[in-house]
Amino acid sequence: MTDTGTSYRDLRALVINCTLKRSPERSHTQGLIDISTGIMERQGVAVEVLRAVDLDIATGVWPDMTEHGWETDEWPVIYSKVMAADILFLAGPVWLGDNSSVMKKVIERLYACSSILNERGQYAYYGRVGGCLITGNEDGAKHCAMNVIYSLQHLGYVIPPQADAGWVGPAGPGPSYLDEGSGGPENDFTNRNTTFMTWNLLHLARMLKDAGGIPAYGNQRSEWDAGCRFDFENPEHR
């Protein structure tokens, strides 16, 4: 394949692995993450991967839970990394057909910061792109991806086409992604979708960065609160 002719070297990507396994235990989710991050790094993207379960993330829906009774909370530091990234994708396993408890906690904490505004009065996550990877050895990958993708776009992230990928193997109990004989790392469907997802994240992040983000007119919370209605007709004022 020929070079795209586009540089991605000024982009930053943050990946949050929502496995239930603490380091250094092997994470099957990390195995799939490595495919995507490898593509990004070969394009010169600065990539950071966090394993959320290793971090002291408090439970709650406020930006800093130490202000609400918790002794410690690493989320404010993680949030600074989120805001420094052009690309965020969340990755995690399927449990009982749903996302892991760690994934849910991360999304709750992202939501806790969703009312913060940027310098143009938009919600702070505007101008960034999001996606997800799902692994497991039971059904539910599309359900998990649906929840993650919906959550990210609701918070303000832009979602490119085909922004999710995953591997769950055959239905029912069986080997996990990195287990010997699973067929996961060799699975063409998973490898194709993970590659497409990665490039779609890169392309859209490039477009948004070059455009200066999402145009501000019509979506500025600060202006709405000040009385601007962006051509919205209020029947009560007719």
Side-chain angles (χ1 to χ4, degrees), residues 7-41:
S7 175
Y8 303 92
R9 294 185 178 278
D10 60 333
L11 297 181
R12 300 180 65 86
L14 178 67
V15 185
I16 302 181
N17 182 350
C18 297
T19 177
L20 299 181
K21 299 173 181 175
R22 300 193 71 176
S23 298
E25 189 173 356
R26 183 174 68 168
S27 164
H28 297 282
T29 299
Q30 186 63 49
L32 190 54
I33 289 171
D34 289 343
I35 295 176
S36 180
T37 58
I39 294 171
M40 291 184 179
E41 288 172 341

Side-chain angles (χ1 to χ4, degrees), residues 69-140:
W70 287 74
E71 291 187 7
T72 58
D73 184 12
E74 287 191 64
W75 181 258
V77 174
I78 300 168
Y79 177 71
S80 68
K81 296 176 183 289
V82 169
M83 297 308 296
D86 305 287
I87 298 167
L88 172 70
F89 75 81
L90 308 180
V94 181
W95 289 110
L96 296 175
D98 207 345
N99 284 301
S100 72
S101 58
V102 178
M103 177 74 82
K104 291 177 181 294
K105 176 181 280 191
V106 167
I107 290 174
E108 286 170 351
R109 296 309 303 275
L110 287 167
Y111 179 70
C113 298
S114 63
S115 62
I116 297 171
L117 304 181
N118 65 20
E119 66 278 0
R120 294 193 288 178
Q122 300 168 304
Y123 293 116
Y125 298 128
Y126 273 39
R128 294 165 175 80
V129 301
C132 73
L133 290 172
I134 303 296
T135 60
N137 58 11
E138 59 183 65
D139 198 13

Side-chain angles (χ1 to χ4, degrees), residues 8-238:
Y8 303 92
R9 294 185 178 278
D10 60 333
L11 297 181
R12 300 180 65 86
L14 178 67
V15 185
I16 302 181
N17 182 350
C18 297
T19 177
L20 299 181
K21 299 173 181 175
R22 300 193 71 176
S23 298
E25 189 173 356
R26 183 174 68 168
S27 164
H28 297 282
T29 299
Q30 186 63 49
L32 190 54
I33 289 171
D34 289 343
I35 295 176
S36 180
T37 58
I39 294 171
M40 291 184 179
E41 288 172 341
R42 284 189 287 276
Q43 292 300 314
V45 177
V47 179
E48 182 173 9
V49 181
L50 302 178
R51 192 180 290 204
V53 73
D54 289 340
L55 305 172
D56 183 13
I57 302 174
T59 300
V61 289
W62 296 99
D64 185 349
M65 291 306 298
T66 63
E67 298 175 357
H68 298 271
W70 287 74
E71 291 187 7
T72 58
D73 184 12
E74 287 191 64
W75 181 258
V77 174
I78 300 168
Y79 177 71
S80 68
K81 296 176 183 289
V82 169
M83 297 308 296
D86 305 287
I87 298 167
L88 172 70
F89 75 81
L90 308 180
V94 181
W95 289 110
L96 296 175
D98 207 345
N99 284 301
S100 72
S101 58
V102 178
M103 177 74 82
K104 291 177 181 294
K105 176 181 280 191
V106 167
I107 290 174
E108 286 170 351
R109 296 309 303 275
L110 287 167
Y111 179 70
C113 298
S114 63
S115 62
I116 297 171
L117 304 181
N118 65 20
E119 66 278 0
R120 294 193 288 178
Q122 300 168 304
Y123 293 116
Y125 298 128
Y126 273 39
R128 294 165 175 80
V129 301
C132 73
L133 290 172
I134 303 296
T135 60
N137 58 11
E138 59 183 65
D139 198 13
K142 286 183 170 59
H143 168 78
C144 292
M146 176 178 66
N147 178 262
V148 174
I149 293 297
Y150 167 79
S151 298
L152 289 176
Q153 68 79 31
H154 183 76
L155 300 181
Y157 277 88
V158 181
I159 308 300
Q162 208 268 283
D164 68 289
W167 186 88
V168 293
S176 294
Y177 181 72
L178 293 177
D179 287 341
E180 184 176 355
S182 73
E186 300 79 37
N187 186 279
D188 185 70
F189 181 83
T190 295
N191 290 335
R192 182 197 69 192
N193 285 354
T194 302
T195 300
F196 285 12
M197 179 205 79
T198 303
W199 276 105
N200 287 340
L201 289 170
L202 289 171
H203 291 320
L204 190 54
R206 176 78 277 153
M207 293 166 66
L208 284 171
K209 198 174 188 77
D210 290 347
I214 299 291
Y217 185 82
N219 57 40
Q220 294 163 293
R221 171 66 184 271
S222 59
E223 294 299 310
W224 182 274
D225 291 346
C228 181
R229 288 298 178 261
F230 308 112
D231 300 321
F232 166 73
E233 289 191 27
N234 189 339
E236 296 180 2
H237 293 169
R238 288 180 181 174

